[in-house]
Amino acid sequence: MADFDYIIVGGGSAGCVLANRLSADPKNKVLLLEAGGKDKSPLIHMPAGVIKLLGGTKANWYYHTERQEHLDGRSLFWPRGKVLGGSSSINGMIYIRGHGRDYDQWRQLGLTGWGYSDVLPYFKRSEGNEGAIDAFHGGKGPLIVSHAERTNPLFEAFVEAGVQAGHKQTDDFNGRQQEGFGPYQLTIRDGRRCSAAVAYLRPALGRPNLAVIVEALATRVIMEGRKAIGVEYLQGGRRHTMKAAREVILAGGAVNSPQLLMLSGIGPAAELKRHGIDVLIDLPGVGKNLQDHLDATVINRCLLPITLHSQSKPVAQTLTGMQYLLFKKGLARSNGLESGAFIKTRPGLEIPDVQLHFLAAVMQDHGREKSPGHGFTVHLCQLRPESRGYIGLRSADPTDHAIIQPNYFESEVDRRTMRDAVRIVRDVLKQRAMQPYLGVELEPGEAVRSDGELDSWLRAHAETIYHPVGSARMGTDSMAVVDERCRVHGVANLRVVDASVMPTLVGGNTNAPTIMIAEKISDDVLGKAPLPSEAIRIAEDEDDSTRQSFAR
């Protein structure tokens, strides 16, 4: 007899969704394995704790990439959540789905059931939006989505400056029109982070058919021929095994899922042999197709003392923390990232190719550098990079971190887009609405102007904005790892359900899309019919009357 019906490896965003949905049927015995610990830290649940979480070592895998040839040989810091809730417990809490065209591209790649009209119902099912409910939004889902409080005047000024610079304005990046400047929607409920663990796992913890084991590092999928039958894991220095009667589901994310596949003998044969791993399934696409959003920051001093620099001293932090813990009020309720934009860097583009995040503070080196004074930061990232990298094995030891090679900036298109984005941001900041606040430019600095100078600065300063995907992608070709139902090619009873299955990077933050994927696949695992598709028009469909709506 097997120990469980389903074993889910990874208690992050996707794993929490799956644990909830699969255990909703009391007949299913479900086990969730998480390499990290419980989400007990107050910093996780206090929105302002995000900077310390991203730069800290607790609740964080604290990964680093290989040296990047096109970024001055630098090894980049890659924070990923190692705790219940995964990266949804340490991220910036911004709720973005990407553009509708992103999913229509997936459908055009041969992935039936993954067009925008197909995935929209699952976004809505997951969402408990606290604002107006319309054709794009759900109000009854477990993931609470709130609208930014925008108590700092800088957030409104940034949006107004974008409009003054000739850009569009939008009130809803996840609605009919993504393009423009506007407020972010946030996974924050009454001043507390609404992670996937809070939204999905916590309500299910009382079920007798759901077991959760933390601090359990999965070391391999147990195979019987070409069939997955269980999982081996380490906990407290001891090796354990659990058997699954129906399925093993990997939900470790873009780094851990392909690593575990390879450790289990499923992956590129040559690489497995190099590390002395028996090849059970030669699947050459495992670990390939890695994509991520590279980020750069335009930073200016602020002429008025209204930024989060006021919280840089221990006394101020203590007072703010006490105000929050006692009354759930004050600056700690906010993530400090309440406004942004989706823009086009050149004429002729159908959809935005750059995203902006506006932060009412100076943030350098993922928040690990001390604030130099009052200032504000505009993060900019190219939404659909051409550069591709890979995840590889460093050794056959599961405790060794995987090789992370994003291969940033390999493409000239990527470099050009980032240069153009810097110039657009500079133009926005010089508009009338920002004049009462705009001080000297700290980064890149006024002297950095030409293409060559901007390229040099980008090579020296660009960093990840934490959206790795694609390393176990869906598809039908020889380099695909899973099919459109997230089943691993050539293996029975094994799926991958997380951001690694995305064939292409979506135009926005990746947490909401990861939750959507898990929602959709949970129905398939349970043998349920998919939710009915919803035909709905988006703004870009009306820009060209000859183009059929991609959302239909």
Side-chain angles (χ1 to χ4, degrees):
M1 295 290 291
D3 300 288
F4 294 90
D5 295 302
Y6 301 100
I7 298 178
I8 303 162
V9 181
S13 296
C16 289
V17 175
L18 292 164
N20 180 300
R21 298 305 190 192
L22 299 187
S23 67
D25 184 343
K27 295 178 182 178
N28 293 331
K29 294 177 64 179
V30 180
L31 170 63
L32 177 66
L33 294 173
E34 166 55 39
K38 296 180 179 179
D39 57 335
K40 290 183 176 180
S41 170
L43 289 174
I44 289 175
H45 303 288
M46 179 176 66
V50 58
I51 293 179
K52 290 187 179 293
L53 291 168
L54 285 172
T57 57
K58 293 181 179 179
N60 196 333
W61 283 97
Y62 217 77
Y63 288 135
H64 289 80
T65 71
E66 299 301 292
R67 294 187 178 277
Q68 297 301 288
E69 177 183 355
H70 307 289
L71 296 179
D72 288 352
R74 292 184 294 130
S75 172
L76 273 58
F77 173 46
W78 259 38
R80 307 303 302 154
K82 187 181 182 183
V83 63
L84 288 177
S87 293
S88 76
S89 287
I90 70 169
N91 69 2
M93 294 157 283
I94 292 177
Y95 180 82
I96 290 290
R97 300 170 176 176
H99 198 282
R101 295 281 179 84
D102 293 320
Y103 303 101
D104 290 325
Q105 183 187 14
W106 292 7
R107 182 177 60 193
Q108 290 165 356
L109 291 171
L111 297 174
T112 303
W114 288 96
Y116 181 53
S117 61
D118 304 306
V119 302
L120 179 60
Y122 286 99
F123 278 119
K124 292 169 67 174
R125 184 171 85 175
S126 71
E127 182 186 15
N129 197 296
E130 294 184 337
I133 307 305
D134 58 19
F136 293 93
H137 292 287
K140 298 180 180 179
L143 184 69
I144 300 302
V145 177
S146 62
H147 293 254
E149 296 176 355
R150 290 190 291 177
T151 54
N152 192 311
L154 283 168
F155 297 122
E156 293 284 0
F158 180 69
V159 174
E160 187 177 348
V163 175
Q164 290 171 354
H167 300 278
K168 293 181 179 180
Q169 183 172 357
T170 183
D171 292 327
D172 184 0
F173 294 128
N174 300 300
R176 182 175 175 276
Q177 176 186 301
Q178 185 194 59
E179 184 182 0
F181 282 66
Y184 276 121
Q185 295 169 19
L186 309 169
T187 51
I188 296 176
R189 173 171 52 190
D190 191 24
R192 288 175 60 86
R193 175 192 293 270
C194 187
S195 67
V198 169
Y200 284 92
L201 186 60
R202 190 170 294 173
L205 286 177
R207 296 172 183 168
N209 61 324
L210 173 63
V212 179
I213 302 178
V214 297
E215 298 179 355
L217 176 67
T219 57
R220 68 183 176 99
V221 177
I222 301 170
M223 300 289 291
E224 189 177 79
R226 301 174 73 92
K227 177 182 176 182
I229 62 168
V231 176
E232 178 185 270
Y233 65 93
L234 291 172
Q235 186 189 48
R238 304 182 72 176
R239 197 172 298 271
H240 306 265
T241 60
M242 290 290 181
K243 296 292 183 67
R246 296 184 182 177
E247 291 194 30
V248 174
I249 305 174
L250 307 188
V255 177
N256 297 68
S257 286
Q259 181 187 23
L260 186 56
L261 285 173
M262 288 185 278
L263 290 170
S264 307
I266 303 168
E271 178 160 11
L272 302 186
K273 291 176 182 177
R274 186 164 60 251
H275 295 289
I277 298 172
D278 291 338
V279 180
L280 302 182
I281 308 291
D282 181 10
L283 205 56
V286 172
K288 305 299 189 292
N289 190 51
L290 179 65
Q291 303 158 55
D292 185 31
H293 285 145
L294 190 65
D295 178 73
T297 53
V298 175
I299 302 174
N300 286 75
R301 288 202 180 275
C302 185
L303 297 178
L304 299 180
I306 59 173
T307 74
L308 293 177
H309 177 68
S310 63
Q311 300 299 299
S312 60
K313 294 183 178 180
V315 173
Q317 292 177 14
T318 300
L319 290 174
T320 298
M322 291 297 294
Q323 184 184 28
Y324 177 82
L325 292 173
L326 293 174
F327 308 109
K328 289 295 181 291
K329 293 183 178 180
L331 290 173
R333 291 174 56 90
S334 170
N335 64 347
L337 274 164
E338 298 185 5
S339 291
F342 288 84
I343 61 174
K344 299 173 182 176
T345 59
R346 61 187 188 276
L349 292 177
E350 292 182 351
I351 58 178
D353 61 336
V354 163
Q355 182 179 3
L356 308 179
H357 298 80
F358 183 86
L359 175 64
V362 175
M363 183 177 177
Q364 296 172 301
D365 190 25
H366 310 273
R368 295 183 294 183
E369 284 190 16
K370 202 169 182 180
S371 170
H374 283 285
F376 46 83
T377 303
V378 182
H379 289 264
L380 55 95
C381 72
Q382 180 195 11
L383 291 174
R384 296 171 190 84
E386 291 188 355
S387 301
R388 296 289 185 271
Y390 65 88
I391 299 294
L393 291 180
R394 198 169 302 279
S395 75
D397 184 348
T399 64
D400 279 348
H401 285 180
I403 292 172
I404 301 173
Q405 175 51 272
N407 203 21
Y408 292 120
F409 259 22
E410 179 189 34
S411 166
E412 168 56 26
V413 171
D414 297 353
R415 297 191 290 271
R416 181 190 68 191
T417 302
M418 294 287 276
R419 290 195 303 264
D420 291 345
V422 171
R423 290 172 172 135
I424 290 172
V425 168
R426 282 172 159 171
D427 180 57
V428 169
L429 294 180
K430 289 184 177 179
Q431 300 302 312
R432 184 175 66 258
M434 291 298 297
Q435 289 309 300
Y437 316 105
L438 186 67
V440 65
E441 183 178 287
L442 301 176
E443 294 288 349
E446 292 293 342
V448 179
R449 291 286 166 184
S450 69
D451 285 359
E453 289 165 344
L454 284 170
D455 276 349
S456 294
W457 174 76
L458 287 165
R459 286 195 300 268
H461 294 277
E463 297 281 351
T464 178
I465 201 165
Y466 327 123
H467 300 155
V469 308
S471 50
R473 71 171 174 88
M474 287 189 284
T476 58
D477 60 284
S478 62
M479 291 299 290
V481 177
V482 300
D483 65 13
E484 72 280 1
R485 296 169 62 188
C486 291
R487 301 173 301 184
V488 176
H489 288 300
V491 185
N493 296 359
L494 181 62
R495 301 194 201 219
V496 179
V497 184
D498 55 36
S500 69
V501 306
M502 297 184 192
T504 57
L505 189 53
V506 299
N509 308 67
T510 50
N511 187 58
T514 300
I515 289 172
M516 175 276 292
I517 289 170
E519 283 274 19
K520 183 170 167 55
I521 295 301
S522 71
D523 276 355
D524 190 76
V525 173
L526 294 171
K528 296 181 178 180
L531 296 178
S533 62
E534 298 183 16
I536 189 168
R537 295 182 69 85
I538 53 180
E540 283 73 13
D541 297 325
E542 299 175 2
D543 291 342
D544 182 352
S545 59
T546 65
R547 186 188 303 117
Q548 182 180 3
S549 172
F550 277 72
R552 289 183 172 177

